[in-house]
């Protein structure tokens, strides 16, 4: 267990495309544990490996604080609907902005045993999946924000 340093906007690693995971080594298991610890410590609802400086296609998401999704090599295979709402990112601390995302997504990914599975999400979960998967392509929500980035009002933040 360890908390890793979260890379922030302006760090070039956040704009790189991540590589697929071919094998879940002990080192990758440790990375995933650390990503969960780091996400919870920062009160985030999601974290992507490049945010801790690792260019691998791994994402953790937990919008409930109790039941994390661990997604290896995730892909969006279906989207529907639309939602427009506030979004933040642990790599852009203290800021938030309005982003439009699909209202519903279906994801295909691999688990820590490299078994494929699918998961669907609506509302905040759909938003978190889309946001985190964008990180794997080197994209941040600030590229998609409608209007200005705003300062987070404490207690209202949902950082991803
Ligand atoms: Ni983010």
């Amino acid at each position: 267990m360890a908390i890793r340093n979260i890379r922030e906007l302006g760090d070039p690693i956040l704009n790189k495309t991540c590589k697929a995971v071919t094998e879940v080594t002990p080192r990758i298991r440790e990375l995933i544990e650390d990503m969960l610890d780091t996400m919870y410590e920062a009160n985030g609802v999601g974290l992507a490996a490049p945010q801790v400086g690792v260019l691998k296609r791994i994402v953790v998401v937990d919008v409930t604080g109790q039941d994390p999704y661990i997604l290896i090599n995730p892909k969006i295979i279906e989207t529907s609907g639309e939602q427009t709402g506030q979004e933040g990112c642990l790599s852009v601390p203290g800021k938030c902005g309005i982003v439009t995302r699909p209202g519903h997504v279906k994801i295909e990914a691999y688990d820590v045993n490299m078994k494929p599975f699918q998961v669907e999400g609506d509302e905040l979960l759909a938003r978190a999946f889309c946001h985190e998967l964008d990180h794997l392509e080197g994209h941040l929500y600030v590229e998609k924000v409608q209007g200005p980035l705003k300062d987070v009002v404490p207690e209202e933040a949902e950082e991803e």
Side-chain angles (χ1 to χ4, degrees):
M1 277 182 58
I3 307 296
R4 300 204 185 189
N5 184 39
I6 297 177
R7 305 298 184 96
E8 294 186 0
L9 183 65
D11 188 322
I13 206 159
L14 293 173
N15 298 117
K16 299 202 158 127
T17 305
C18 295
K19 293 206 168 89
V21 174
T22 53
E23 186 192 356
V24 179
T25 59
R27 201 182 154 121
I28 285 182
R29 279 180 189 268
E30 189 183 344
L31 167 67
I32 291 168
E33 288 305 312
D34 290 353
M35 285 173 63
L36 289 168
D37 292 341
T38 304
M39 172 180 73
Y40 289 128
E41 220 265 334
N43 293 314
V45 299
L47 190 72
Q51 293 183 274
V52 293
V54 180
L55 290 172
K56 290 194 186 299
R57 304 187 79 83
I58 302 172
V59 153
V60 295
V61 170
D62 190 350
V63 299
T64 67
Q66 300 165 0
D67 189 19
Y69 290 102
I70 295 161
L71 308 177
I72 297 172
N73 302 338
K75 270 196 288 203
I76 294 175
I77 54 172
E78 257 178 56
T79 67
S80 60
E82 197 176 271
Q83 57 176 318
T84 297
Q86 188 166 285
E87 200 160 312
C89 178
L90 294 175
S91 293
V92 192
K95 299 285 178 189
C96 62
I98 301 296
V99 183
T100 297
R101 300 282 191 184
H104 176 90
V105 296
K106 189 192 270 189
I107 307 280
E108 190 169 77
Y110 293 83
D111 68 13
V112 290
N113 300 308
M114 289 307 274
K115 289 224 169 76
F117 69 101
Q118 293 184 353
V119 55
E120 297 183 54
D122 296 300
E123 300 174 352
L124 178 58
L125 185 57
R127 177 178 293 284
F129 284 150
C130 293
H131 176 115
E132 299 311 331
L133 267 63
D134 276 355
H135 275 296
L136 304 182
E137 306 302 333
H139 294 301
L140 299 180
Y141 84 95
V142 297
E143 300 162 30
K144 298 186 171 172
V145 79
Q146 297 155 235
L149 273 186
K150 289 179 276 186
D151 291 325
V152 170
V153 180
E155 307 296 305
E156 278 184 21
E158 269 164 354
E159 302 203 357
E160 286 158 24

